[in-house]
Structures are given as structure tokens and as C-alpha cells.
Amino acid sequence: SFVVSVSAVNDAPVVILPIADFAVSEDAANVVTNLTSIFSDVETAATNLAYAVVGNTNASLVTATITQGTNLTLAFTANGNGTSRVSVSATDAGGLAVTNSFVVTVNAVNDAPTVVLPIADFAVNEDAANVVTNLTSIFSDVETAATNLAYAVVGNTNSSLVTATITGTNLVLAFTANGNGTSRVSVSAT
């Protein structure tokens, strides 16, 4: 008769539920994944594995961090779009590791133009010369240069006093001779 001894060997962690490639829209909220459901190990509980972000091909688009020890948090740059390959590792108490890599695609979203410098109310004297305002300093857009926005007069409460027109990127206000009163002019950019 004889005795057979079987010595324990540290087994590497494994990926049991890979994080699949996925897409989000620009300006998406943070995505948080609990890594204890992604990785497993025979000797070390998933909550005791050491998790780390070991790769990120586009850190200017996606910030990948380990939070609360077991969560992978992906934060997205405002108005950013493109792709990033993120790699996350799990290391057991014996120093063996496994890595899960996936691609995050951030899809572009058309942002509406914004007013960056509102035109202030103002007064002119009767028979004043035309007032010309360059609208490229009034409006801004993330995707479209202000010089390429389409401008329109969308409101004029007293067109018999003030004629409001768009010429290229300029708002032109022309005043009726010998006229006086008030008018509210509204301009849009698309």
C-alpha cells in the first residue's frame, strides 16, 4: 500500500461573464459594473480579488476606474464620441490574473446651438441708422461653426417700426423714418 498526496495549486481567476462590447450616446451617465459577477476564482472569493484597469485606448473619451474595490466605473467626456478598448484584470491572492477586454462606442449626438452672449435690450433715437449685429458671437454650437449656422428672425412684435432681416450671419435692424415705440425681436440659430 502507499499514500498519494495531492498538493494544492493556485488556479488563476477566470472570466465567467465577459463584459460585451456596447455603445452609449454622447453625454451618457456613468456606467457602473460590479466585477464580482464578471470574474471568479477557486481559492479567492470574487469580493477579495484585486481589480485593476490595465488598458484604455482612449482615456480622453472614457475614464475607467475601479470604485468601491469591486466596481468598474466608466465616465464619458462631455460632447465626446468615438471608441475605446478597455481592459480590466482580476488578480487572486497568489498573484495570478485574468483580463477581460471590451470596446465602448460613444455615438455622437447633435447638440442644439446655444446663446452664449444674449443681445441686450437697447434704445435708439428716432431716424437712427441701421444696427447690425454679427450673430456668430451671439450663438455657439458644439458640432457646427457659428459661421455655418442658419439664422432666422422668428419674431418681431412691431415690424412697422423695426424691420429685422438676416444678411449672411448678420442681424440687420432698420428703423422706420420718424417712428417711435418698442419692438421685441427674436432670432434663432439652427
Side-chain angles (χ1 to χ4, degrees), residues 102-187:
F102 56 95
V103 174
V104 179
T105 301
V106 181
N107 295 317
V109 173
N110 185 16
D111 294 295
T114 58
V115 176
V116 293
L117 184 63
I119 300 171
D121 294 347
F122 65 93
V124 296
N125 290 327
E126 179 180 295
D127 302 322
N130 291 355
V131 172
V132 178
T133 303
N134 185 331
L135 297 173
T136 62
S137 62
I138 306 300
F139 293 95
S140 180
D141 187 72
V142 173
E143 299 88 12
T144 306
T147 55
N148 294 330
L149 292 172
Y151 299 102
V153 175
V154 294
N156 183 351
T157 61
N158 192 348
S159 58
S160 63
L161 176 65
V162 178
T163 302
T165 58
I166 301 293
T167 303
T169 59
N170 291 320
L171 169 64
V172 179
L173 301 177
F175 306 99
T176 303
N178 300 314
N180 60 74
T182 61
S183 180
R184 176 169 297 281
V185 175
S186 298
V187 178

Side-chain angles (χ1 to χ4, degrees), residues 12-178:
V14 295
V15 177
I16 56 173
L17 183 63
I19 300 172
D21 297 349
F22 67 95
V24 296
S25 293
E26 173 184 306
D27 303 324
N30 290 357
V31 173
V32 179
T33 303
N34 185 327
L35 296 173
T36 62
S37 63
I38 307 301
F39 297 95
S40 180
D41 186 69
V42 173
E43 299 86 15
T44 306
T47 54
N48 294 329
L49 293 171
Y51 299 103
V53 175
V54 294
N56 183 353
T57 61
N58 194 347
S60 64
L61 176 67
V62 179
T63 301
T65 55
I66 302 299
T67 55
Q68 299 178 333
T70 58
N71 289 333
L72 171 64
T73 300
L74 302 176
F76 308 99
T77 301
N79 298 311
N81 60 79
T83 61
S84 182
R85 183 172 191 77
V86 176
S87 299
V88 180
S89 71
T91 304
D92 68 14
L96 297 178
V98 66
T99 299
N100 179 205
S101 297
F102 56 95
V103 174
V104 179
T105 301
V106 181
N107 295 317
V109 173
N110 185 16
D111 294 295
T114 58
V115 176
V116 293
L117 184 63
I119 300 171
D121 294 347
F122 65 93
V124 296
N125 290 327
E126 179 180 295
D127 302 322
N130 291 355
V131 172
V132 178
T133 303
N134 185 331
L135 297 173
T136 62
S137 62
I138 306 300
F139 293 95
S140 180
D141 187 72
V142 173
E143 299 88 12
T144 306
T147 55
N148 294 330
L149 292 172
Y151 299 102
V153 175
V154 294
N156 183 351
T157 61
N158 192 348
S159 58
S160 63
L161 176 65
V162 178
T163 302
T165 58
I166 301 293
T167 303
T169 59
N170 291 320
L171 169 64
V172 179
L173 301 177
F175 306 99
T176 303
N178 300 314

